Amino acid sequence: MRSQFLALSFAIKQTYRVEVSVVNPKSFRNIAKANITRKETQALSKVFVLDTNKQPLNPIHSGRARMLLSQGKAAVFRRYPFTVILNKEVVNPKVESLRVKIDPGAKTTGLALVNDSTGEVVWAAQLQHRGFQIRDALTSRRQLRRSRRNRKTRYRKPRFLNRTRPEGWLPPSLNSRVANILTWVNRLSSISQITAISQELVRFDTQQMEDAEISGIGYQQGTLFGYEIREFLLEKWNRTCAYCGAKDKPLEIEHINARSKGGSNRISNLCLACTSCNQKKGNQDIKDFLKGKPDLLKCILSQAKRPLADTAAVNATRWNLYYNLKKTGLPVEVGTGGRTKYNRTIRGLDKTHYWDAACVGASTPEQLITSEVKPLLIAAKGHGTRQQCRTDKFGFPSRYCKRTKFHKGFQTGDIVKAVVTSGKKIGTYVGRLATRATGSFNISTTDGLVQGISHKYCLPLHKKDGYSYIQ
């Protein structure tokens, strides 16, 4: 019975060397060795634990997990997030309930697991989306297809109304954001006891709370009008002075084209400036004020007209995400951006995506224990492409892709550890793999790309799952 549930068999040595014997041939193609060092486990937050039946238990300290591994009582089940599996069944365990908290964003989403009863942040991560990459790829594909269609089917009648979209359809670039979050909610549910979900859904709006009937210009220019603009401008201009680049200074809202000369209050005419720059510019025309800095002038004008793509992406996906989270069967609490900022400020936490996630909703404990939290940085990379050929910059085929995905037991996207003992590239490299049929691979590490690493030196740490990780 035990062999049906253990995903990894092992032999523990005193040097914390774990021999991982692969059981599932569909996801793992060879037998490899993975080194679990004291330094690696110390760089972790709480470690997730499963019993032999894959039943979630309470997360434990990394030191205790290291002890279980060294004593042969557990094996490494998954590297990211780090999870161990016991070699025995735990009957009627007392498992504490956890709440997964989500702070959705257009580019990056914050995730956190919080124990509501103790206030402990068990695990935190920030998830980087690839929605804008998908949008650019779809644009490129559309251009190539249009060119080919004009060349080969110029006499065919256009067919634009022969496709129907299901209810709740989202473009692929937006749907990927929702899918990424749901994927990680399901993964965390499989390795921990999650009983509730909190999601940041809308902005803080006390004006409508005070007067539910307010509408029109009274709603647009009321109590929160200045608050919303300031928060948006801080994000848009990266909390720096647009003219001198100063940071950590009081910033004021500056009209690029002065009101006295016909400038409006539109977002595209507003930027941030420190007090000295604001007074120095006065009501001058920005072209006269930056006459000697043409590059800075061009940068400010382009930044001011930047579309609200991030805001539109969040607004288009937030309700879709909410309805999908409701389908999990867990109670979903929604919070506002104003409450999140308030909770984070009074608890003295830094402005990061994962701390924002920990502070989402009214359920946030009065005191959050964050002393041993080391966030996991996750980046969505996708699962490759189905293109049969690569094209040059003109859209013509330049080379063809092989149908074989596995080379020497590896595939592109695997996270490996390469210990090179000879040659010009002696050293240890950990990162995401790009394979070649020749067996000479490339490894993307945190320090950059390392090319030409032989497959003989590569040890698999984490099989391809569409994401890259930095602990």
Side-chain angles (χ1 to χ4, degrees):
M1 184 69 179
R2 171 184 170 188
S3 61
Q4 296 178 359
F5 296 98
L6 281 177
L8 303 172
S9 63
F10 58 93
I12 301 291
K13 296 183 179 180
Q14 294 296 329
T15 58
Y16 304 108
R17 181 179 296 272
V18 181
E19 280 199 17
V20 182
S21 178
V22 180
V23 178
N24 187 356
K26 293 183 179 180
S27 58
F28 298 91
R29 297 303 178 103
N30 63 341
I31 297 177
K33 298 179 180 180
N35 295 330
I36 309 295
T37 63
R38 181 182 296 270
K39 182 178 179 181
E40 289 175 336
T41 53
Q42 286 177 344
L44 300 172
S45 297
K46 287 293 185 74
V47 177
F48 296 100
V49 183
L50 305 174
D51 71 352
T52 189
N53 295 330
K54 296 184 180 180
Q55 180 182 7
L57 305 177
N58 288 326
I60 60 177
H61 190 272
S62 58
R64 187 177 179 186
R66 187 167 57 249
M67 182 183 65
L68 292 175
L69 292 173
S70 62
Q71 295 177 354
K73 297 180 180 180
V76 178
F77 179 74
R78 182 178 295 159
R79 282 279 185 152
Y80 304 102
F82 200 87
T83 309
V84 298
I85 184 168
L86 303 178
N87 57 12
K88 65 177 182 179
E89 181 182 1
V90 179
V91 182
N92 298 325
K94 296 182 179 179
V95 184
E96 296 183 352
S97 301
L98 301 177
R99 177 186 294 268
V100 59
K101 296 193 158 191
I102 306 168
D103 177 30
K107 296 179 180 178
T108 306
T109 291
L111 299 170
L113 279 180
V114 180
N115 190 326
D116 289 341
S117 60
T118 63
E120 181 184 13
V121 181
V122 175
W123 180 84
Q126 64 181 34
L127 171 61
Q128 181 179 350
H129 299 292
R130 56 188 297 265
F132 292 110
Q133 299 178 20
I134 295 175
R135 180 198 63 186
D136 295 339
L138 291 175
T139 301
S140 175
R141 187 185 70 176
R142 182 170 61 251
Q143 293 171 349
L144 296 177
R145 287 183 173 179
R146 180 174 298 172
S147 175
R148 184 171 64 247
R149 191 177 298 115
N150 290 336
R151 295 195 308 268
K152 298 186 177 181
T153 60
R154 66 178 70 180
Y155 300 112
R156 192 189 72 187
K157 293 183 179 181
R159 296 178 293 187
F160 300 116
L161 303 177
N162 61 345
R163 300 175 182 89
T164 57
R165 293 171 176 172
E167 184 179 357
W169 177 89
L170 284 177
S173 59
L174 299 180
N175 189 58
S176 68
R177 296 177 172 90
V178 177
N180 289 338
I181 298 174
L182 294 176
T183 295
W184 277 95
V185 170
N186 293 331
R187 287 189 183 184
L188 294 173
S189 299
S190 65
I191 58 177
S192 60
Q193 187 69 27
I194 294 179
T195 58
I197 301 174
S198 295
Q199 176 199 354
E200 182 179 303
L201 188 64
V202 294
R203 300 286 293 178
F204 189 50
D205 196 345
T206 55
Q207 183 181 354
Q208 193 174 26
M209 293 171 58
E210 293 175 356
D211 185 2
E213 302 298 327
I214 195 167
S215 62
I217 192 171
Y219 179 71
Q220 297 169 7
Q221 300 179 0
T223 306
L224 280 186
F225 181 65
Y227 172 83
E228 298 285 358
I229 288 179
R230 286 183 178 88
E231 288 298 311
F232 175 76
L233 291 177
L234 286 172
E235 294 295 328
K236 183 177 181 178
W237 295 94
N238 298 321
R239 288 176 162 79
T240 60
C241 175
Y243 300 125
C244 67
K247 293 184 177 181
D248 301 326
K249 286 186 177 181
L251 299 175
E252 302 172 353
I253 296 180
E254 158 69 10
H255 289 78
I256 298 176
N257 295 323
R259 290 287 307 279
S260 61
K261 294 187 177 181
S264 66
N265 284 326
R266 292 178 62 87
I267 293 293
S268 58
N269 191 44
L270 300 178
C271 68
L272 294 177
C274 61
T275 304
S276 59
C277 290
N278 195 3
Q279 294 178 353
K280 185 177 180 180
K281 178 179 178 292
N283 64 347
Q284 296 183 60
D285 188 271
I286 190 172
K287 295 180 181 179
D288 297 333
F289 180 64
L290 299 177
K291 182 169 53 178
K293 300 177 181 179
D295 294 338
L296 179 59
L297 174 62
K298 182 180 179 181
C299 180
I300 291 177
L301 294 178
S302 62
Q303 177 75 358
K305 295 181 179 179
R306 190 184 68 179
L308 309 181
D310 294 353
T311 305
V314 174
N315 289 339
T317 57
R318 60 184 182 178
W319 286 107
N320 187 284
L321 175 62
Y322 172 75
Y323 293 133
N324 279 280
L325 291 175
K326 293 284 287 185
K327 293 179 181 179
T328 61
L330 299 175
V332 180
E333 174 198 34
V334 296
T336 62
R339 179 179 287 275
T340 298
K341 184 176 181 180
Y342 172 77
N343 291 339
R344 175 173 52 80
T345 302
I346 65 175
R347 288 162 180 80
L349 298 177
D350 297 332
K351 178 69 176 74
T352 59
H353 295 284
Y354 45 89
W355 292 144
D356 277 347
C359 296
V360 169
S363 63
T364 305
E366 291 295 331
Q367 183 177 4
L368 288 176
I369 303 174
T370 62
S371 56
E372 296 184 355
V373 178
K374 299 177 178 62
L376 179 65
L377 306 182
I378 310 168
K381 296 295 184 181
H383 293 275
T385 176
R386 295 179 292 176
Q387 283 183 315
Q388 296 182 356
C389 65
R390 299 288 187 263
T391 59
D392 57 18
K393 62 180 180 179
F394 302 105
F396 294 98
S398 60
R399 59 192 185 278
Y400 290 89
C401 303
K402 292 189 176 181
R403 304 298 297 171
T404 304
K405 299 300 181 182
F406 285 87
H407 301 292
K408 309 298 181 181
F410 299 90
Q411 66 173 327
T412 298
D414 291 348
I415 298 177
V416 300
K417 180 176 183 179
V419 182
V420 182
T421 56
S422 62
K424 298 181 180 179
K425 300 176 182 176
I426 296 177
T428 302
Y429 309 100
V430 178
R432 202 164 184 264
L433 198 67
T435 62
R436 294 194 191 98
T438 60
S440 179
F441 300 156
N442 295 342
I443 301 178
S444 298
T445 67
T446 54
D447 298 327
L449 180 65
V450 182
Q451 299 181 347
I453 301 298
S454 175
H455 69 94
K456 298 178 182 178
Y457 299 119
C458 296
L459 306 174
L461 299 181
H462 190 86
K463 287 298 181 179
K464 170 188 172 182
D465 61 355
Y467 299 90
S468 66
Y469 307 92
I470 298 177
Q471 184 70 52

